[in-house]
Amino acid sequence: MDQLTEFLTQNPHIHHATPQSPEFKELRLGFVFNESRTPAIVVRPRSAEEVAALIPILTKNNLQFTVKVGGHDMFGRSQVSDGVIIDLREISHVYVDAESQTARLGGGVMAMDTGDATETQCDHSTGWTIFGGYGPLSSKHGLGVDQIVGAKVVDAEGKICEANEIMLTGIRGGGGTLGVIVELTVKVYPSAQILAGTTFYKSSDLAAEIKQYNAEYSKAKREDLPSSLHLYQAILNGPVGKSLSIFFMWASSDLEEGQRWLLRVSSWLPIGMSTVQPTTHRDFGAFTNTVIPKHTYGTIFTVNFYDLTPEVLDVIGTHAQRQPNNPEVIFGVHELRHDAPREPTFGTVFDNRCAHYLIEMIPMGSSPEVYAEGLAWAQEFVNALSKTDAANIVPSTYISLTPPKGADMGKIYGSRYETLQRIKEQYDPQNVFKNALPQF
Ligand SMILES: Cc1cc2nc3c(=O)[nH]c(=O)nc-3n(C[C@H](O)[C@H](O)[C@H](O)COP(=O)(O)OP(=O)(O)OC[C@H]3O[C@@H](n4cnc5c(N)ncnc54)[C@H](O)[C@@H]3O)c2cc1C
């Protein structure tokens, strides 16, 4: 650690915080409290060159380190005991090139930095983009990982390099295991006004409402559901109490057609309240940020299904009724729809390309006691889902939302795991980035 301290003394412009610094607590914290792993220092480089200067100091002195951007990993994997967090948030430039319809995003960019100039698929952060990235524009433009067209990386030797196609293949799904990504180039799309918000259905019989909604939704999918419409169903303890709630986003300039879809979705069940309105990606993102807790006790469980069969919907109905009445306990359904662009022409190790539903149970709480109630609910729920027809469960899971304990890399990366291993061997044979996701 002495060499790192010396380096920081010689480079006083590089912000850093140790446990004695007043800002340490806030800087080290991720979205979920991870009290078991306290880092020794958080270092905030401002450029690729500063990251490049840092890496050899860490490797030569055998210092454990991780990379952190939003800290939104649900298992606190941006933290490392007694080691160094490289916090990239100060590398947050956004350069849009309208002609090539791409944007260069600093490795520390979060959604709120990307602004309104474009409809970008970089929904949350670099971490969201590099591991998969399910989002409200996935049906229209594909997953976050499929938006990556270039990357600047500080590699295992501390050199700054433009990723070639082989390295990019590994980054698209394999994230930061090959190096520190100091810049991503992603596709962007012309920006338009959108319709977005949440529709809260009235609730009297949650199990029946879940079945009714999914019957209507499946019918719309079979008939004419447009790719510009995203519907994320959730059970939320919101303004009308515990209810089936639909996060609605219409991402097309034809707002009249969007309003027609809003009316149609609103007719599927009696409405308790709706916040859906014309807005922009930036305003909506800013609003969403205000309703998500900054830090919480919590974790996540997921199961991927090919279909929401009557058996699966029965289990969901039963456990929705038992969901604790705590606004921080959430059940929700992401989806990779059959109509989403999902077979990219470039290399990637993100394997799970079949149409599927990603069911998530997110127990959270402002205190360990509140969290414990949600955790017990989520564990029972996931156990019941795991016992449904095995032929309907997608073997692959999403690395960002897969608990590290017992995570099966072969299942996560499927047929592309060998490719990822080969690329890792080529670019990081000494496993310098051993604390990065995915771990080898
Ligand atoms: C409230 C919330 C909502 C979410 N919603 C969604 C959603 O809708 N869809 C979805 O797909 N996922 C979602 N997620 C999961 C989230 O996208 C992933 O956990 C993502 O990896 C978080 O990114 P981050 O930059 O905050 O990661 P951090 O926690 O900061 O970092 C986690 C790890 O990612 C790697 N990493 C991140 N950035 C870099 C980089 N620049 N260079 C090298 N390595 C890097 C490192 O290994 C790091 O340790 C959500 C998570 C939360 C907490």
Side-chain angles (χ1 to χ4, degrees):
M1 204 50 88
D2 290 351
Q3 286 80 355
L4 178 61
T5 311
E6 196 184 320
F7 169 76
L8 292 169
T9 311
Q10 285 163 3
N11 294 277
H13 52 277
I14 301 181
H15 296 145
H16 56 276
T18 59
Q20 290 73 40
S21 323
E23 66 275 29
F24 178 78
K25 196 172 167 216
E26 190 56 34
L27 284 181
R28 70 141 296 202
L29 276 180
F31 179 72
V32 290
F33 292 113
N34 192 331
E35 281 143 354
S36 61
R37 289 190 218 164
T38 305
I41 188 164
V42 181
V43 183
R44 307 192 93 196
R46 297 170 310 173
S47 64
E49 289 70 23
E50 288 180 357
V51 176
L54 201 54
I55 293 296
I57 295 171
L58 303 178
T59 51
K60 277 185 200 141
N61 295 290
N62 241 334
L63 295 173
Q64 297 292 313
F65 66 93
T66 55
V67 169
K68 176 176 178 235
V69 178
H72 270 175
D73 181 74
M74 287 299 296
F75 308 98
R77 290 175 283 195
S78 63
Q79 309 289 311
V80 60
S81 291
D82 304 321
V84 181
I85 293 182
I86 305 177
D87 176 343
L88 295 181
R89 277 297 282 140
E90 293 194 21
I91 309 180
S92 58
H93 57 266
V94 176
Y95 304 130
V96 177
D97 179 3
E99 205 182 321
S100 64
Q101 297 211 332
T102 59
R104 284 163 46 210
L105 309 177
V109 157
M110 300 280 293
M112 62 269 220
D113 306 321
T114 54
D116 247 0
T118 51
E119 186 174 276
T120 152
Q121 252 288 61
C122 186
D123 257 31
H124 298 264
S125 61
T126 314
W128 177 86
T129 315
I130 56 185
F131 293 118
Y134 294 75
L137 300 173
S138 293
S139 297
K140 196 174 172 192
H141 299 311
L143 293 168
V145 76
D146 296 333
Q147 311 309 311
I148 301 173
V149 293
K152 191 188 279 183
V153 175
V154 173
D155 70 11
E157 290 171 14
K159 288 202 201 99
I160 302 170
C161 63
E162 290 294 337
N164 63 14
E165 261 314 313
I166 299 174
M167 201 184 213
L168 278 176
T169 299
I171 287 172
R172 295 188 189 107
T177 191
L178 307 174
V180 182
I181 300 160
V182 287
E183 186 178 273
L184 269 187
T185 306
V186 296
K187 296 181 204 169
V188 291
Y189 305 89
S191 181
Q193 271 236 312
I194 57 169
L195 283 180
T198 307
T199 293
F200 301 91
Y201 291 121
K202 270 190 198 147
S203 184
S204 56
D205 179 351
L206 262 179
E209 287 143 15
I210 288 165
K211 277 189 191 152
Q212 165 80 8
Y213 171 84
N214 280 286
E216 297 286 0
Y217 179 63
S218 299
K219 185 165 170 279
K221 271 195 2 175
R222 278 195 307 274
E223 290 172 357
D224 52 355
L225 194 71
S227 62
S228 298
L229 180 62
H230 170 79
L231 300 172
Y232 170 93
Q233 57 177 311
I235 307 293
L236 300 179
N237 291 286
V240 300
K242 186 164 74 182
S243 74
L244 176 60
S245 312
I246 310 300
F247 164 67
F248 180 107
M249 184 183 282
W250 173 260
S252 150
S253 53
D254 186 354
L255 289 191
E256 271 182 34
E257 179 65 1
Q259 291 287 4
R260 276 193 286 279
W261 271 100
L262 180 59
L263 275 179
R264 186 158 153 193
V265 173
S266 305
S267 73
W268 289 349
L269 284 166
I271 294 288
M273 185 182 153
S274 176
T275 64
V276 181
Q277 58 177 336
T279 180
T280 61
H281 286 285
R282 177 164 61 188
D283 289 349
F284 187 64
F287 167 74
T288 310
N289 268 338
T290 63
V291 292
I292 296 173
K294 271 190 93 183
H295 310 293
T296 183
Y297 292 92
T299 191
I300 192 165
F301 298 92
T302 64
V303 185
N304 286 342
F305 287 107
Y306 293 108
D307 200 3
L308 296 183
T309 59
E311 184 192 22
V312 172
L313 290 176
D314 269 344
V315 174
I316 293 175
T318 305
H319 291 270
Q321 283 161 332
R322 295 178 190 164
Q323 185 167 325
N325 294 322
N326 163 6
E328 290 191 41
V329 176
I330 295 171
F331 160 81
V333 183
H334 288 290
E335 192 178 358
L336 183 60
R337 271 170 31 195
H338 67 285
D339 56 340
R342 63 175 185 280
E343 272 307 332
T345 48
F346 45 69
T348 170
V349 293
F350 186 91
D351 193 53
N352 190 10
R353 300 282 169 173
C354 61
H356 63 274
Y357 297 87
L358 187 163
I359 299 214
E360 56 185 11
M361 286 127 289
I362 317 174
M364 297 186 284
S366 50
S367 69
E369 295 73 33
V370 178
Y371 166 48
E373 189 194 7
L375 183 61
W377 162 81
Q379 278 166 333
E380 267 185 35
F381 195 165
V382 76
N383 284 342
L385 286 173
S386 312
K387 287 183 191 137
T388 58
D389 180 11
N392 184 38
I393 297 178
V394 183
S396 184
T397 60
Y398 179 28
I399 186 157
S400 287
L401 307 183
T402 302
K405 204 171 162 208
D408 181 340
M409 291 298 152
K411 273 190 173 177
I412 291 171
Y413 289 100
S415 62
R416 303 185 205 217
Y417 187 41
E418 260 182 52
T419 306
L420 178 58
Q421 282 177 307
R422 217 173 38 242
I423 300 173
K424 174 76 176 175
E425 188 55 37
Q426 182 175 347
Y427 289 97
D428 185 18
Q430 305 301 324
N431 204 8
V432 163
F433 299 103
K434 59 171 155 296
N435 296 312
L437 287 185
Q439 287 175 358
F440 288 85

